[in-house]
Amino acid sequence: MNTRRPRPSRSGTAWGVGAAAVAACALCCAGPILAVLGGLGAVFAVAAIWVPALAVLALLAAVAVLVVRRRRRASNCRAGTGPVVLGLPAVPGEPDDITARADR
């Protein structure tokens, strides 16, 4: 005959650890979540009052982004003025080809 008694279930410990993890997460993440929600609420409150002004600001921001991107692209596509001397060491006994062309 089996004289062992079954071990009691320890599901209460798992629930306690889970509750502690949820509480720690809430303490850690509550500030940033409330800040984001508060910021969104403020933006929506201002948008409800000043819709035309915000539309103008959004249009100006879009134009500014396009202007900056166009200027960056134009400056990146300019051709160089001549050879670029990198200052790398030359092989002893042989003339430095780039420096010879730059001196002409």
Side-chain angles (χ1 to χ4, degrees), residues 21-63:
V22 167
C25 181
L27 288 174
C28 175
C29 300
I33 290 173
L34 290 177
V36 168
L37 292 176
L40 286 174
V43 167
F44 291 143
V46 169
I49 297 171
W50 295 322
V51 172
L54 288 177
V56 169
L57 286 176
L59 184 62
L60 288 175
V63 168

Side-chain angles (χ1 to χ4, degrees), residues 3 6 17 39 43 51 54 56 64 70-71 91 93 97 104:
T3 59
V17 171
V43 167
V51 172
L54 288 177
V56 169
R70 180 171 253 209
R71 284 186 183 173
V91 176
D97 192 30
R104 287 185 203 170

